[in-house]
PDB file of all heavy atoms in Angstrom:
ATOM      1  N   ASP C  69      48.013  -5.695  65.329  1.00 80.00           N
ATOM      2  CA  ASP C  69      46.943  -6.647  65.627  1.00 80.00           C
ATOM      3  C   ASP C  69      45.766  -5.971  66.328  1.00 80.00           C
ATOM      4  O   ASP C  69      44.608  -6.190  66.016  1.00 80.00           O
ATOM      5  CB  ASP C  69      47.483  -7.726  66.567  1.00 80.00           C
ATOM      6  CG  ASP C  69      47.480  -9.080  65.894  1.00 80.00           C
ATOM      7  OD1 ASP C  69      47.500  -9.103  64.652  1.00 80.00           O
ATOM      8  OD2 ASP C  69      47.466 -10.085  66.609  1.00 80.00           O
ATOM      9  N   ARG C  70      46.102  -5.190  67.314  1.00 81.00           N
ATOM     10  CA  ARG C  70      45.090  -4.502  68.120  1.00 81.00           C
ATOM     11  C   ARG C  70      45.837  -3.469  68.914  1.00 81.00           C
ATOM     12  O   ARG C  70      47.080  -3.443  68.930  1.00 81.00           O
ATOM     13  CB  ARG C  70      44.384  -5.493  69.068  1.00 81.00           C
ATOM     14  CG  ARG C  70      45.322  -6.121  70.061  1.00 81.00           C
ATOM     15  CD  ARG C  70      44.746  -7.348  70.765  1.00 81.00           C
ATOM     16  NE  ARG C  70      45.812  -8.033  71.471  1.00 81.00           N
ATOM     17  CZ  ARG C  70      46.228  -7.721  72.697  1.00 81.00           C
ATOM     18  NH1 ARG C  70      45.661  -6.734  73.342  1.00 81.00           N
ATOM     19  NH2 ARG C  70      47.218  -8.368  73.268  1.00 81.00           N
ATOM     20  N   LEU C  71      45.119  -2.580  69.578  1.00 90.00           N
ATOM     21  CA  LEU C  71      45.816  -1.647  70.458  1.00 90.00           C
ATOM     22  C   LEU C  71      44.909  -1.258  71.607  1.00 90.00           C
ATOM     23  O   LEU C  71      43.705  -1.495  71.589  1.00 90.00           O
ATOM     24  CB  LEU C  71      46.367  -0.441  69.715  1.00 90.00           C
ATOM     25  CG  LEU C  71      45.486   0.413  68.828  1.00 90.00           C
ATOM     26  CD1 LEU C  71      44.524   1.221  69.674  1.00 90.00           C
ATOM     27  CD2 LEU C  71      46.358   1.365  68.031  1.00 90.00           C
ATOM     28  N   THR C  72      45.542  -0.708  72.608  1.00 95.00           N
ATOM     29  CA  THR C  72      44.804  -0.298  73.792  1.00 95.00           C
ATOM     30  C   THR C  72      45.084   1.172  74.056  1.00 95.00           C
ATOM     31  O   THR C  72      46.235   1.612  74.000  1.00 95.00           O
ATOM     32  CB  THR C  72      45.210  -1.137  75.013  1.00 95.00           C
ATOM     33  OG1 THR C  72      44.971  -2.518  74.725  1.00 95.00           O
ATOM     34  CG2 THR C  72      44.389  -0.761  76.239  1.00 95.00           C
ATOM     35  N   TYR C  73      43.988   1.911  74.282  1.00 97.00           N
ATOM     36  CA  TYR C  73      44.106   3.315  74.658  1.00 97.00           C
ATOM     37  C   TYR C  73      43.860   3.435  76.158  1.00 97.00           C
ATOM     38  O   TYR C  73      42.996   2.753  76.719  1.00 97.00           O
ATOM     39  CB  TYR C  73      43.051   4.158  73.932  1.00 97.00           C
ATOM     40  CG  TYR C  73      43.375   4.455  72.493  1.00 97.00           C
ATOM     41  CD1 TYR C  73      42.841   3.687  71.472  1.00 97.00           C
ATOM     42  CD2 TYR C  73      44.184   5.538  72.156  1.00 97.00           C
ATOM     43  CE1 TYR C  73      43.115   3.973  70.146  1.00 97.00           C
ATOM     44  CE2 TYR C  73      44.458   5.834  70.833  1.00 97.00           C
ATOM     45  CZ  TYR C  73      43.921   5.053  69.827  1.00 97.00           C
ATOM     46  OH  TYR C  73      44.201   5.351  68.526  1.00 97.00           O
ATOM     47  N   TYR C  74      44.636   4.322  76.783  1.00 97.00           N
ATOM     48  CA  TYR C  74      44.516   4.595  78.208  1.00 97.00           C
ATOM     49  C   TYR C  74      44.254   6.087  78.374  1.00 97.00           C
ATOM     50  O   TYR C  74      44.850   6.889  77.652  1.00 97.00           O
ATOM     51  CB  TYR C  74      45.818   4.228  78.927  1.00 97.00           C
ATOM     52  CG  TYR C  74      46.276   2.822  78.644  1.00 97.00           C
ATOM     53  CD1 TYR C  74      47.049   2.542  77.524  1.00 97.00           C
ATOM     54  CD2 TYR C  74      45.935   1.766  79.494  1.00 97.00           C
ATOM     55  CE1 TYR C  74      47.454   1.248  77.246  1.00 97.00           C
ATOM     56  CE2 TYR C  74      46.349   0.472  79.230  1.00 97.00           C
ATOM     57  CZ  TYR C  74      47.109   0.214  78.095  1.00 97.00           C
ATOM     58  OH  TYR C  74      47.515  -1.061  77.828  1.00 97.00           O
ATOM     59  N   GLY C  75      43.399   6.450  79.296  1.00 98.00           N
ATOM     60  CA  GLY C  75      43.092   7.867  79.449  1.00 98.00           C
ATOM     61  C   GLY C  75      43.048   8.320  80.889  1.00 98.00           C
ATOM     62  O   GLY C  75      42.753   7.540  81.798  1.00 98.00           O
ATOM     63  N   TYR C  76      43.362   9.580  81.094  1.00 98.00           N
ATOM     64  CA  TYR C  76      43.230  10.229  82.400  1.00 98.00           C
ATOM     65  C   TYR C  76      41.950  11.053  82.295  1.00 98.00           C
ATOM     66  O   TYR C  76      41.935  12.178  81.816  1.00 98.00           O
ATOM     67  CB  TYR C  76      44.480  11.081  82.634  1.00 98.00           C
ATOM     68  CG  TYR C  76      44.487  11.984  83.837  1.00 98.00           C
ATOM     69  CD1 TYR C  76      43.496  11.969  84.825  1.00 98.00           C
ATOM     70  CD2 TYR C  76      45.540  12.889  83.999  1.00 98.00           C
ATOM     71  CE1 TYR C  76      43.545  12.818  85.920  1.00 98.00           C
ATOM     72  CE2 TYR C  76      45.602  13.745  85.089  1.00 98.00           C
ATOM     73  CZ  TYR C  76      44.597  13.711  86.041  1.00 98.00           C
ATOM     74  OH  TYR C  76      44.645  14.572  87.118  1.00 98.00           O
ATOM     75  N   GLU C  77      40.862  10.410  82.734  1.00 98.00           N
ATOM     76  CA  GLU C  77      39.524  10.890  82.399  1.00 98.00           C
ATOM     77  C   GLU C  77      39.222  12.321  82.861  1.00 98.00           C
ATOM     78  O   GLU C  77      38.738  13.140  82.079  1.00 98.00           O
ATOM     79  CB  GLU C  77      38.482   9.921  82.998  1.00 98.00           C
ATOM     80  CG  GLU C  77      37.063  10.217  82.581  1.00 98.00           C
ATOM     81  CD  GLU C  77      36.058   9.296  83.279  1.00 98.00           C
ATOM     82  OE1 GLU C  77      36.469   8.522  84.166  1.00 98.00           O
ATOM     83  OE2 GLU C  77      34.870   9.373  82.934  1.00 98.00           O
ATOM     84  N   ASP C  78      39.493  12.631  84.116  1.00 98.00           N
ATOM     85  CA  ASP C  78      39.078  13.938  84.627  1.00 98.00           C
ATOM     86  C   ASP C  78      39.858  15.080  83.963  1.00 98.00           C
ATOM     87  O   ASP C  78      39.287  16.123  83.640  1.00 98.00           O
ATOM     88  CB  ASP C  78      39.226  13.988  86.148  1.00 98.00           C
ATOM     89  CG  ASP C  78      38.160  13.140  86.838  1.00 98.00           C
ATOM     90  OD1 ASP C  78      37.079  12.966  86.242  1.00 98.00           O
ATOM     91  OD2 ASP C  78      38.417  12.655  87.956  1.00 98.00           O
ATOM     92  N   LEU C  79      41.140  14.857  83.743  1.00 98.00           N
ATOM     93  CA  LEU C  79      41.913  15.879  83.026  1.00 98.00           C
ATOM     94  C   LEU C  79      41.441  15.971  81.566  1.00 98.00           C
ATOM     95  O   LEU C  79      41.327  17.062  81.007  1.00 98.00           O
ATOM     96  CB  LEU C  79      43.411  15.560  83.078  1.00 98.00           C
ATOM     97  CG  LEU C  79      44.329  16.491  82.269  1.00 98.00           C
ATOM     98  CD1 LEU C  79      44.203  17.942  82.739  1.00 98.00           C
ATOM     99  CD2 LEU C  79      45.796  16.033  82.371  1.00 98.00           C
ATOM    100  N   ALA C  80      41.145  14.823  80.977  1.00 98.00           N
ATOM    101  CA  ALA C  80      40.700  14.806  79.578  1.00 98.00           C
ATOM    102  C   ALA C  80      39.415  15.615  79.410  1.00 98.00           C
ATOM    103  O   ALA C  80      39.277  16.392  78.458  1.00 98.00           O
ATOM    104  CB  ALA C  80      40.490  13.370  79.102  1.00 98.00           C
TER     105      ALA C  80
END
Side-chain angles (χ1 to χ4, degrees):
Chain C
D69 245 23
R70 62 195 168 85
L71 53 71
T72 302
Y73 283 97
Y74 307 86
Y76 172 8
E77 187 184 6
D78 288 333
L79 175 59

